[in-house]
Amino acid sequence: MNGFDAFFIKILLLLIVSHNNGLLLIVIIAKAKWSPLIALLLASIILGIIAGMDIPDVADAVQIGIGNTLR
């Protein structure tokens, strides 16, 4: 398998995980009756970890993303 194929497979898997994470977000909000903010935080953290980010990088990304949104 060449480099392009490996890259394509990695992107495809990330898209599948993102889709499933969106479904998880909907289920958490609709069925578990959690706050959308808490559900979005949980889904973002899970997606970051599954995507291969280090835990400190996930925390920084979430902090920066929410900080910029709430600013």
Side-chain angles (χ1 to χ4, degrees):
M1 189 164 43
N2 63 21
F4 179 75
D5 290 339
F7 178 74
F8 180 72
I9 290 172
K10 192 172 186 178
I11 294 297
L12 185 62
L13 288 174
L14 190 56
L15 285 172
I16 292 169
V17 169
S18 299
H19 178 265
N20 290 339
N21 201 16
L23 294 176
L24 174 68
L25 183 63
I26 292 170
V27 168
I28 289 173
I29 292 172
K31 297 290 182 184
K33 305 284 188 199
W34 283 17
S35 165
L37 178 65
I38 302 299
L40 186 60
L41 278 172
L42 181 66
S44 300
I45 292 169
I46 290 171
L47 182 61
I49 292 170
I50 291 175
M53 294 175 66
D54 294 328
I55 301 296
D57 293 338
V58 172
D60 289 341
V62 169
Q63 181 181 2
I64 290 170
I66 290 177
N68 288 341
T69 301
L70 296 177
R71 194 185 305 182

